[in-house]
Amino acid sequence: MIDIDFPIVFILLFIINNMMLNRLSKKYSFFDKKLMNYLYWYHLLFFAIYFMYSIYNNSDSLLYYLTVGNKGDQWPELFYTGTRFISFFAVPFVYLGLSYSSVMLVASWFGYVGFVYAYLYFRESIPINVTVFGRFDLLTLLLFLPNMHFWTASLGKGALIFMGLMVFTQAVKFPQKRIVALLIGGFFIYMVRPHVMLFVLVGVMIGILTGKGKISIGIKLLVLVASIVFLAAASSSILAVAKLENSENVVDDFEQFSDTNSAKLESSAKSGVSMASYPLPLKLFTFWFRPLFVDSPGAIGMFSSVENLIYLLLFAKICNRRFLRFILKAPYMVKMSIIVFLLSSFALTFVMSNLGIIMRQKSMVMYFGFFVIYYFLAQEKWEQMQRLKERNNAVALNA
């Protein structure tokens, strides 16, 4: 339960958070500090929900915390990509004497930072407000999606990688000016999920090479060379995620790994779905939009089904020829986002057969898809405004 150190940590994080928001509001003229404060308390609500959930259910968060107690004196050995890194992250806080509830709160705050940078990622590239479903501001709707907050409000991979992804992506817009943010974001992505770093860097390289933008040739070359060097140096760690570091046939061995892992998840979980025989479009549909009411695993699944319906309705807005023309001429941030979204979705569909895990895993990639949808709808609105302006000007000239 809540320990005596919790109020102290709560107050310190509140002060640190206000300092961060004040700094960002001075740096970015569009920054809505009031909205971010609302988002802060909203995220804390999901921290409280997840914390109560972790007390009465088996939770990875508690396991990470207990690992520190058992191996805290071997801290360097925990500095390894994947699961062990979460315990490595928790060690300094545990050594300071913080309780489980306080460490959970700290990790939850890192998840909140991800939402702040998601806001910057969207708003910096898309200054136009878009309304959906008649009356809802799209960016506000996306920032307050409950499933996203639930899986990023605890000590675990979700909070740290989401923060890393959003910090890195926001920094990529101006890489020459945001090197520190690039390094911090990239560090967390790689340490939590090395294979996701692969998808991100491939997306960055393709986006820079094919998308429109004002990045100079020198910066493009620097980013491309740095990405290639990193991928070459980290290839063993990335392949090790699927135990392919010593493989002589990566494609065949990955197929075998995905079939084996998928079968394990399906047989060990009540919410398992047999995706092995699904065609690729149905696999992707399952990853993006399920559970949907009829196959919801429990109360959380029903709650998630409502959100998945929103996803489905948003994605329906890009199912037209105009979107295809838009993608061909899109700026590099859009092309990067769609490549990261599709690559991550494609890879994860081959190893996911558990709706509960799918709900958790997709939280780290859905914002890339939402960014593409938002940009497309904003572009449509801008073009409509331009046509209206030209029509009004023509009427004024003929008057």
Side-chain angles (χ1 to χ4, degrees):
M1 299 300 290
I2 300 298
D3 295 273
I4 193 170
D5 58 303
F6 184 85
I8 299 174
V9 174
F10 185 92
I11 294 171
L12 285 175
L13 284 177
F14 179 78
I15 294 171
I16 293 170
N17 194 68
N18 268 310
M19 292 171 61
M20 178 186 72
L21 296 183
N22 287 334
R23 181 181 66 83
L24 292 174
S25 63
K26 291 178 181 178
K27 185 175 182 179
Y28 300 99
S29 58
F30 60 80
F31 192 82
D32 190 340
K33 183 181 175 183
K34 185 178 180 180
L35 177 65
M36 292 299 100
N37 274 318
Y38 285 140
L39 192 67
Y40 177 74
W41 295 108
Y42 182 76
H43 190 72
L44 283 181
L45 170 64
F46 282 89
F47 156 76
I49 293 172
Y50 195 100
F51 180 71
M52 295 302 296
Y53 171 84
S54 70
I55 292 175
Y56 297 104
N57 297 272
N58 292 328
S59 170
D60 291 340
S61 299
L62 183 58
L63 180 61
Y64 293 132
Y65 183 81
L66 294 176
T67 300
V68 175
N70 296 331
K71 296 184 178 180
D73 56 341
Q74 302 170 4
W75 189 28
E77 295 180 12
L78 295 174
F79 188 73
Y80 195 80
T81 57
T83 301
R84 278 189 283 177
F85 177 73
I86 309 303
S87 293
F88 176 88
F89 166 83
V91 166
F93 303 107
V94 176
Y95 271 24
L96 287 172
L98 299 189
S99 61
Y100 171 61
S101 58
S102 294
V103 177
M104 282 276 283
L105 182 62
V106 172
S108 177
W109 181 76
F110 274 80
Y112 166 75
V113 172
F115 285 97
V116 173
Y117 277 83
Y119 169 77
L120 294 174
Y121 161 42
F122 278 67
R123 182 55 74 203
E124 189 174 35
S125 296
I126 315 171
I128 298 175
N129 292 323
V130 174
T131 302
V132 292
F133 311 136
R135 48 181 280 186
F136 297 100
D137 178 74
L138 179 55
L139 181 55
T140 303
L141 176 66
L142 295 176
L143 289 174
F144 284 84
L145 289 170
N147 193 57
M148 297 294 182
H149 287 270
F150 183 79
W151 297 114
T152 56
S154 64
L155 176 62
K157 294 179 181 179
L160 297 186
I161 194 169
F162 181 68
M163 185 273 293
L165 283 166
M166 294 300 102
V167 170
F168 183 91
T169 305
Q170 194 265 343
V172 160
K173 186 172 178 63
F174 298 108
Q176 70 276 24
K177 299 178 181 179
R178 300 169 180 173
I179 295 176
V180 174
L182 278 173
L183 293 175
I184 293 173
F187 170 78
F188 277 98
I189 299 170
Y190 175 73
M191 293 305 299
V192 177
R193 296 192 188 277
H195 54 294
V196 175
M197 192 68 203
L198 167 65
F199 306 146
V200 170
L201 290 180
V202 171
V204 168
M205 290 189 287
I206 294 177
I208 284 180
L209 287 173
T210 64
K212 291 183 178 181
K214 297 181 180 180
I215 296 181
S216 66
I217 298 296
I219 295 300
K220 286 184 177 181
L221 288 174
L222 179 62
V223 172
L224 289 172
V225 171
S227 298
I228 292 170
V229 169
F230 175 83
L231 289 175
S235 58
S236 294
S237 297
I238 293 171
L239 291 173
V241 173
K243 299 179 175 61
L244 301 176
E245 65 272 31
N246 297 317
S247 174
E248 296 180 359
N249 190 327
V250 173
V251 175
D252 289 344
D253 289 346
F254 175 75
E255 290 180 353
Q256 183 178 355
F257 165 81
S258 61
D259 289 343
T260 302
N261 196 60
S262 179
K264 286 180 180 178
L265 289 174
E266 182 183 346
S267 62
S268 63
K270 296 179 181 179
S271 57
V273 289
S274 181
M275 288 175 59
S277 59
Y278 285 5
L280 180 60
L282 189 52
K283 284 184 177 181
L284 291 173
F285 181 90
T286 299
F287 181 73
W288 293 334
F289 307 123
R290 290 177 67 186
L292 272 177
F293 301 110
V294 294
D295 54 8
S296 299
I300 294 177
M302 288 297 293
F303 197 67
S304 183
S305 293
V306 177
E307 188 167 319
N308 285 334
L309 179 60
I310 295 174
Y311 298 174
L312 191 56
L313 294 174
L314 287 176
F315 273 77
K317 292 181 178 294
I318 63 174
C319 295
N320 53 62
R321 293 180 180 179
R322 299 189 310 278
F323 177 73
L324 295 177
R325 292 195 295 267
F326 161 76
I327 284 296
L328 292 175
K329 299 179 181 180
Y332 74 91
M333 287 294 288
V334 173
K335 289 193 173 181
M336 177 205 71
S337 297
I338 198 168
I339 292 297
V340 174
F341 177 69
L342 292 177
L343 278 179
S344 302
S345 300
F346 179 81
L348 290 172
T349 57
F350 281 91
V351 294
M352 296 290 106
S353 290
N354 181 312
L355 291 179
I357 295 178
I358 285 174
M359 287 190 292
R360 185 186 314 173
Q361 293 277 1
K362 70 182 178 184
S363 64
M364 66 181 174
V365 299
M366 291 304 290
Y367 271 107
F368 292 102
F370 295 150
F371 179 83
V372 177
I373 295 171
Y374 190 1
Y375 204 109
F376 170 68
L377 295 178
Q379 183 76 18
E380 293 261 286
K381 182 177 179 180
W382 183 83
E383 291 176 355
Q384 185 179 14
M385 291 166 59
Q386 290 298 109
R387 288 193 295 268
L388 181 61
K389 183 178 179 180
E390 291 173 2
R391 191 180 301 119
N392 290 337
N393 289 338
V395 170
L397 288 174
N398 294 328

